[in-house]
Amino acid sequence: MGGLIVPPHTLLGIHGGKSLIIPFPASSTLFPRPPSTFFRPIYTSAHPSCLFPRAVTLLSGAREMLFGARASAQPTTEEMVEDKTAENPVTGDSIRRRFLNFYASRGHKLLPSASLVPDDPTVLLTIAGMLQFKPIFLGKVPRQVPRAATSQRCIRTNDVENVGRTARHHTFFEMLGNFSFGDYFKKEAIKWAWELSTKEFGLPVDRLWVSVYEDDDESFDIWHDEVGVPVERIKRMGEEDNFWTSGVTGPCGPCSELYYDFHPERGCSDADLGDGSRFIEFYNLVFMQYNKMDDGSFEPLKQKNIDTGLGLERMAQILQKVPNNYETDLIYPIIEKAARLANISYPLADDQTKTNLKIIGDHMRAIVYLISDGVLPSNIGRGYVVRRLIRRAVRTGRLLGIKRDGEGAFLPSIAETVIELSTYIDSDVKARTPRILDELEREELRFVQTLERGEKLLDQMLADAILSSDKNGTTPSLSGKDAFLLYDTYGFPVEITTEVAEERHVKVDMDGFNVEMENQRRQSQAAHNVVKLEVENGGDLAENVSDTEFLGYDTLAARAVVESLMVNGKSVLQVSEGNEVEILLNKTPFYAESGGQIGDHGFLYLAECESRQSAVVEIKDVKKSLGNVFFHKGTIQKGILEVGREVEAAVDAKLRQRAKVHHTATHLLQSALKKVIGQETSQAGSLVAFDRLRFDFNFHRPLTESEMETIEELINGWIRDATVLQTKVMALTDAKEAGAIAMFGEKYGEQVRVVEVPGVSMELCGGTHVSNTSEIRAFKIISEQGIASGVRRIEAVAGEAFIEYINARDSQMKRLCSTLKVKAEEVTSRVENLLEELRMTRNELSTLRAKAAVYKASVISDRAISVGTSKPVRVLVEYMDDVDADSLKSAAEHLVEVLQDPAAVILGSSPGEGKVSLVAAFTPGVVSMGVQAGKFIGPIAKSCGGGGGGKPNFAQAGGRKPENLSSALEKARGDLISILTQKAS
């Protein structure tokens, strides 16, 4: 068996600054900086095929015990994996690099990972490696290369509850993929997958199993006859397991999967590839060869494609010989950091503690990469995904007992480890460190306050459950719905809810809780785990129409040919006067909406000829679709437009100038924000319109008046400098090295357009811009507000829109001066005086109303009745016409004072149309009997179409159904008398 195997977790320092696709240098430079965990390898012939040296760490104490006591959980005789190089330990980074280099040597273009925020409206997040190639698979955009390979960052949250509980479920993972776009197909994909697995990664052939679709004889024959896999290790499986579909209709095809066998000694008889304790599926090959039609039939695709996925974390588990994905060097350092903060030894921990540490290790990866890609916590969409993961990490950490000094947050400390591990996954993460850590700290501290509110709510729920059981003579129980509310809204772990409830002898309806959890899981699956691919009507159009040539950087007018006309989504040959139409031209000066800038307006003119009349089309919008095809949306104002005719396309020059001014001003605004509030702020969205600009940015607080003034001064100064803009096309890598900023949400090719205001701003941008900053004329912020947690929005005007804004405000000021009969400089003081007079008048009116209500109360006080025998209670329930809420409160306070303790007063009124006001005031003697005003008033308000509550001695409520008030008060009177008669007898 040999000696102890040092797990790969000691290889924490193998993370340098090299590019993803550049091979490592010689082993002597494998560590470009001192590793965070240092070990001295001791090789032994007793264990020649061991992947990792039998090491003695230089660390002592618990750290030494942590690594020294942990042996491989997998068999070590006839080692599972060949040790390819003693100098190159099999790290997650090396697996990624070797995969990409393998396919690069076979003609694949290595492409970067797409953002976790996909350029696809059908999914919230990037959930698969193929997502960025979806338009190519659909035939909507031409392929740029015949074959490609990627290491794609992915997020899936449909099985979030299984994270940490199984060996392989993750919210964040990396999918290594090789793709063919109508190039190679089954034979090459299968042979390369086998070669990669057995030769490059050295997996023993007798441990590999294969699955194929039950009817896919072609794949079966390739695996058996050409690759040489024994028949007994090829499993035919059904449609559910081995036939990939993109949706109800669309591209689809059979799959073939590679499995690794951890226990070959169990033999081939009755082997079940679904047995997770024995097999792990690590490579999936999708043969996209059919199009599924509406009637369920299949037709062959014109272009057959290959879409594969190899799970990096799964391959790391196999090659590093650890019992689960979490204990690979991709995740374990994060778990180790959390364990240290909790003062826990992971190897010595119980199963539940290990599960909690795994949850933190997994979630922190997802959180860091989501925030890095611009997804900030919120209550909707992608923001809710990251907020939910943060909350799960925080409450899991609290279960482990992780605490920081004082009231500080602990997630940023763990995030630092994730960022250290990010070098080869996404080189931009480290540059965004300040933003990531700041956002995590704010969100965690905010959530801790929510957790504390949840504790108070739980206490109230348990008290209500006990009170209800006392009334009904039943066993106290907390509903599953309430337990789920605490879990989902307040982040309160159900384990703690159950534990606290048991201490109070209250049962928790876990069946009901599980029902609520399952409902949420189904909704999550529907929202996050479907990639919709459909061959739509536009498919044929895409094959016939090439990209539109854009001329608008250099000219605002050009002659073009009408290539296609569409009315209500259907292609037509001609369109007559009065109809709305979408027009495709072979070239155009019109800018199509993108990068936040709206599409141009203008006209298309068709000259009259001998046999055809003239036509005029007003263009009100231009959008891109099917890749880079421009759709001109407009109305036929005159004549008939036909496919094939030549038109004169003319952009509205005044509106284009407004857009150019606002777009350049947006670039200046981003630079000014970075100078004033910090370089870590970044764009989170934008709108460049004719009448204004809108800029969303990541920041945790409102801007001060002083900051906004400074921003305006900077921008107007740059405008006065009359700087000439420089625009050039260059390689994306060169642009980034030069310091160009990417626009939020935009996707870039290898060649990019860079717009620079020398000394001020440099951004990747395809929009239209002024040639000189002086064209902007002036800049003014008109509003600044928060639109989501950690996201602010500035709206501003520049150029002609600035003049219009100032003129409109001047006109309003003149009218105000005329109305108030004061000069402009006196308006503020005059308005302040008027507001003070109004405040005093309202106070006087309120005082008079309160006095009137107290008088009315004095008149009805003799209507109180006494209930009970041992200590009679004075009870008064009355309707007080149209008395407002504040006056009703004064009346109730007066009545309990007059009636003296013990007394209970309930008053109701209808202060306006569709309004109900209620108040309940109970003296200490009534409260001591267990009757509380806050709880008693709730049902009354509910029957009046409202709600409310308060303290045991005093409560207020409202409603929207005054027609129900009389009967509600009558019922309240009866219930109150009944309860107090029983309590006071």
Side-chain angles (χ1 to χ4, degrees):
M1 291 290 290
L4 292 176
I5 302 174
V6 175
H9 323 136
T10 57
L11 306 176
L12 199 58
I14 308 179
H15 295 280
K18 301 292 185 287
S19 166
L20 176 67
I21 62 173
I22 298 176
F24 282 115
S27 58
S28 61
T29 59
L30 190 60
F31 294 90
R33 59 180 181 275
S36 55
T37 303
F38 183 76
F39 65 91
R40 178 174 66 248
I42 302 178
Y43 296 95
T44 171
S45 59
H47 202 5
S49 58
C50 177
L51 262 176
F52 302 98
R54 185 168 60 90
V56 178
T57 69
L58 298 185
L59 305 174
S60 59
R63 181 83 174 166
E64 184 171 349
M65 176 180 66
L66 183 64
F67 290 104
R70 206 169 146 269
S72 171
Q74 303 301 338
T76 53
T77 55
E78 296 292 320
E79 287 300 316
M80 292 185 291
V81 184
E82 175 191 352
D83 181 8
K84 289 184 71 68
T85 58
E87 300 84 9
N88 249 344
V90 185
T91 66
D93 288 336
S94 72
I95 295 170
R96 184 191 303 108
R97 173 177 52 82
R98 288 160 64 183
F99 175 93
L100 293 172
N101 286 346
F102 177 89
Y103 280 104
S105 68
R106 287 153 182 80
H108 290 66
K109 175 72 172 178
L110 300 188
L111 298 176
S113 170
S115 168
L116 290 174
V117 180
D119 187 17
D120 187 323
T122 67
V123 287
L124 277 180
L125 297 164
T126 298
I127 62 174
M130 55 73 63
L131 194 61
Q132 66 171 304
F133 305 117
K134 172 178 168 180
I136 301 174
F137 289 142
L138 287 177
K140 289 189 172 182
V141 299
R143 68 182 192 184
Q144 300 299 314
V145 294
R147 54 182 73 171
T150 64
S151 176
Q152 175 63 53
R153 307 187 310 276
C154 300
I155 292 281
R156 291 185 189 174
T157 60
N158 55 302
D159 285 322
V160 68
E161 297 303 325
N162 288 323
V163 168
R165 303 182 187 281
T166 69
R168 293 145 201 161
H169 275 99
H170 299 294
T171 55
F172 175 91
F173 59 95
E174 284 186 81
M175 189 62 75
L176 307 176
N178 56 287
F179 305 90
S180 167
F181 312 112
D183 186 15
Y184 63 84
F185 200 49
K186 288 184 182 180
K187 182 178 293 187
E188 294 87 348
I190 289 173
K191 288 186 173 181
W192 285 337
W194 185 258
E195 183 182 354
L196 175 79
S197 302
T198 59
K199 290 186 169 52
E200 178 62 35
F201 290 134
L203 301 182
V205 297
D206 60 349
R207 287 180 179 263
L208 297 184
W209 290 63
V210 173
S211 70
V212 297
Y213 179 53
E214 56 191 358
D215 295 334
D216 188 4
D217 295 331
E218 182 185 2
S219 293
F220 188 98
D221 292 342
I222 295 171
W223 281 115
H224 176 57
D225 298 336
E226 301 190 36
V227 175
V229 180
V231 171
E232 61 271 19
R233 282 196 277 117
I234 305 176
K235 293 283 188 179
R236 292 183 184 266
M237 302 178 75
E239 184 174 339
E240 182 177 348
D241 296 301
N242 277 66
F243 195 90
W244 181 85
T245 59
S246 59
V248 178
T249 61
C252 57
C255 305
S256 186
E257 296 165 334
L258 275 164
Y259 292 77
Y260 186 82
D261 185 357
F262 289 118
H263 296 285
E265 72 278 2
R266 296 180 186 175
C268 297
S269 178
D270 299 323
D272 178 10
L273 294 182
D275 180 359
S277 67
R278 176 177 177 179
F279 295 102
I280 180 173
E281 175 211 330
F282 65 89
Y283 207 166
N284 183 23
L285 315 178
V286 176
F287 309 125
M288 203 180 298
Q289 64 188 91
Y290 302 115
N291 178 35
K292 190 174 183 181
M293 309 300 288
D294 290 332
D295 61 2
S297 63
F298 296 94
E299 65 174 14
L301 285 175
K302 295 177 182 177
Q303 174 180 292
K304 294 180 179 180
N305 305 301
I306 290 293
D307 162 23
T308 80
L310 184 149
L312 175 62
E313 290 80 7
R314 296 187 178 199
M315 183 58 79
Q317 179 196 343
I318 296 169
L319 295 180
Q320 295 176 8
K321 294 185 286 188
V322 291
N324 55 69
N325 293 0
Y326 298 93
E327 297 183 43
T328 66
D329 70 328
L330 295 166
I331 305 175
Y332 192 79
I334 310 166
I335 291 175
E336 182 191 17
K337 180 63 172 287
R340 287 204 300 272
L341 291 176
N343 197 25
I344 293 170
S345 166
Y346 177 85
L348 301 180
D350 58 40
D351 289 343
Q352 184 57 55
T353 299
K354 285 185 177 180
T355 295
N356 288 336
L357 286 168
K358 290 173 186 175
I359 289 172
I360 292 178
D362 169 88
H363 285 12
M364 287 307 300
R365 292 211 302 168
I367 291 163
V368 165
Y369 288 101
L370 281 168
I371 294 177
S372 176
D373 276 2
V375 182
L376 299 179
S378 71
N379 289 327
I380 58 173
R382 302 180 183 100
Y384 179 70
V385 173
V386 71
R387 171 161 285 172
R388 186 179 179 212
L389 293 176
I390 289 173
R391 290 182 170 188
R392 290 191 94 238
V394 171
R395 68 189 184 215
T396 303
R398 286 166 70 92
L399 279 174
L400 291 169
I402 297 178
K403 294 180 180 178
R404 298 306 306 271
D405 296 336
E407 298 299 321
F410 66 85
L411 292 188
S413 179
I414 301 175
E416 289 174 351
T417 300
V418 181
I419 293 168
E420 276 300 306
L421 296 172
S422 70
T423 302
Y424 293 107
I425 304 174
D426 182 356
S427 59
D428 291 330
V429 173
K430 282 192 176 182
R432 297 164 182 159
T433 296
R435 182 178 70 182
I436 295 169
L437 300 185
D438 288 349
E439 191 61 43
L440 275 173
E441 181 176 23
R442 279 193 297 275
E443 185 68 14
E444 180 179 345
L445 295 180
R446 186 185 298 120
F447 179 52
V448 167
Q449 296 174 345
T450 305
L451 270 176
E452 291 170 352
R453 290 197 297 271
E455 291 170 354
K456 294 176 182 177
L457 180 59
L458 172 59
D459 187 62
Q460 183 65 52
M461 286 177 173
L462 295 176
D464 290 346
I466 293 170
L467 182 62
S468 176
S469 69
D470 289 345
K471 280 185 183 178
N472 304 321
T474 57
T475 301
S477 176
L478 185 68
S479 72
K481 195 164 279 189
D482 283 344
F484 186 76
L485 173 70
L486 287 163
Y487 168 83
D488 192 51
T489 303
Y490 293 91
F492 215 71
V494 70
E495 298 88 350
I496 291 183
T497 298
T498 305
E499 183 179 329
V500 175
E502 286 177 354
E503 291 174 358
R504 302 275 291 273
H505 305 292
V506 177
K507 180 182 177 183
V508 178
D509 176 16
M510 289 305 298
D511 290 338
F513 175 85
N514 291 332
V515 168
E516 297 295 325
M517 182 69 77
E518 182 59 30
N519 289 339
Q520 187 196 64
R521 184 179 289 112
R522 282 198 297 269
Q523 293 171 0
S524 177
Q525 286 175 332
H528 300 301
N529 199 32
V530 178
V531 180
K532 295 182 180 178
L533 291 177
E534 295 180 359
V535 178
E536 305 165 9
N537 293 336
D540 295 336
L541 189 63
E543 294 176 8
N544 300 324
V545 178
S546 57
D547 287 352
T548 307
E549 182 183 357
F550 178 58
L551 310 173
Y553 292 135
D554 304 313
T555 182
L556 296 182
R559 300 195 68 80
V561 175
V562 178
E563 294 205 331
S564 178
L565 297 173
M566 298 184 72
V567 176
N568 296 324
K570 295 182 179 179
S571 294
V572 295
L573 294 177
Q574 65 177 27
V575 185
S576 58
E577 184 174 316
N579 287 299
E580 294 184 351
V581 62
E582 294 181 50
I583 306 163
L584 274 66
L585 304 175
N586 66 328
K587 52 188 174 182
T588 182
F590 284 82
Y591 182 84
E593 179 181 323
S594 61
Q597 182 176 332
I598 65 173
D600 280 330
H601 291 192
F603 290 90
L604 301 182
Y605 300 100
L606 177 64
E608 187 173 1
C609 62
E610 292 182 3
S611 59
R612 295 170 180 169
Q613 64 177 354
S614 62
V616 177
V617 185
E618 183 178 12
I619 302 300
K620 285 295 187 182
D621 195 11
V622 185
K623 293 186 182 297
K624 287 183 183 179
S625 186
L626 305 174
N628 203 36
V629 178
F630 288 33
F631 283 75
H632 303 72
K633 298 185 177 185
T635 305
I636 308 292
Q637 300 287 6
K638 174 187 174 183
I640 297 174
L641 187 64
E642 298 174 323
V643 173
R645 298 296 302 277
E646 187 176 65
V647 295
E648 180 73 23
V651 175
D652 186 318
K654 290 183 178 179
L655 293 182
R656 165 66 79 84
Q657 181 64 17
R658 283 170 169 259
K660 288 163 61 176
V661 162
H662 281 140
H663 206 149
T664 305
T666 301
H667 287 208
L668 299 182
L669 173 58
Q670 176 157 227
S671 292
L673 282 166
K674 288 182 176 292
K675 283 183 176 292
V676 175
I677 64 175
Q679 290 294 322
E680 69 277 6
T681 190
S682 62
Q683 182 178 342
S686 69
L687 171 69
V688 176
F690 304 133
D691 61 337
R692 72 193 189 284
L693 68 88
R694 188 178 72 209
F695 188 82
D696 300 339
F697 58 102
N698 301 309
F699 202 53
H700 60 279
R701 62 166 174 81
L703 299 186
T704 65
E705 287 293 330
S706 174
E707 287 170 334
M708 285 193 284
E709 288 175 3
T710 303
I711 289 168
E712 288 181 346
E713 289 172 2
L714 275 171
I715 295 172
N716 284 310
W718 292 329
I719 293 170
R720 288 192 301 272
D721 289 341
T723 303
V724 176
L725 273 70
Q726 297 178 6
T727 303
K728 49 191 165 185
V729 176
M730 56 199 303
L732 177 60
T733 53
D734 293 340
K736 287 188 174 182
E737 287 177 5
I741 298 173
M743 295 288 282
F744 177 83
E746 283 295 287
K747 311 300 178 186
Y748 300 99
E750 293 185 4
Q751 295 293 310
V752 294
R753 184 169 180 264
V754 178
V755 177
E756 181 180 8
V757 182
V760 178
S761 165
M762 180 188 291
E763 298 192 21
L764 308 183
C765 183
T768 62
H769 289 270
V770 298
S771 57
N772 189 300
T773 58
S774 63
E775 294 178 45
I776 301 175
R777 300 167 69 182
F779 173 91
K780 178 67 179 175
I781 295 175
I782 58 177
S783 70
E784 190 274 342
Q785 61 183 330
I787 59 170
S789 175
V791 181
R792 309 294 301 175
R793 170 173 291 172
I794 284 178
E795 290 200 358
V797 288
E800 199 66 31
F802 169 84
I803 302 299
E804 292 172 354
Y805 175 82
I806 295 300
N807 287 340
R809 292 301 181 272
D810 183 59
S811 177
Q812 292 166 359
M813 177 60 76
K814 287 177 180 176
R815 289 199 299 272
L816 190 58
C817 290
S818 176
T819 301
L820 297 176
K821 296 181 171 41
V822 295
K823 297 177 181 178
E825 59 268 24
E826 298 171 350
V827 167
T828 301
S829 60
R830 179 62 179 137
V831 170
E832 288 174 348
N833 290 336
L834 287 172
L835 289 174
E836 179 61 22
E837 291 174 13
L838 180 60
R839 186 188 65 80
M840 293 176 63
T841 301
R842 284 177 172 171
N843 287 341
E844 290 173 4
L845 180 59
S846 178
T847 300
L848 289 173
R849 284 176 174 169
K851 288 180 179 179
V854 169
Y855 174 76
K856 286 183 179 182
S858 299
V859 172
I860 64 173
S861 61
D862 58 358
R863 299 180 191 174
I865 62 172
S866 295
V867 299
T869 55
S870 61
K871 191 174 183 181
V873 179
R874 302 280 284 169
V875 176
L876 181 63
V877 180
E878 288 292 333
Y879 172 66
M880 293 192 67
D881 301 320
D882 59 353
V883 173
D884 65 88
D886 289 339
S887 300
L888 203 64
K889 176 184 176 184
S890 298
E893 291 172 341
H894 173 75
L895 282 168
V896 292
E897 186 177 342
V898 169
L899 297 176
Q900 298 184 340
D901 194 18
V905 174
I906 295 177
L907 303 177
S909 68
S910 179
E913 186 175 352
K915 291 183 179 180
V916 171
S917 289
L918 292 162
V919 65
F922 294 175
T923 61
V926 173
V927 175
S928 66
M929 296 178 186
V931 186
Q932 299 184 11
K935 294 181 179 179
F936 195 85
I937 204 170
I940 311 174
K942 188 175 182 180
S943 64
C944 294
K951 299 177 181 178
N953 65 315
F954 191 88
Q956 287 183 282
R960 302 180 303 278
K961 298 179 179 178
E963 65 272 14
N964 296 348
L965 180 57
S966 178
S967 59
L969 288 175
E970 190 62 37
K971 184 177 185 305
R973 180 185 289 108
D975 291 346
L976 188 58
I977 290 173
S978 175
I979 294 171
L980 290 177
T981 298
Q982 181 182 358
K983 298 280 187 181
S985 296

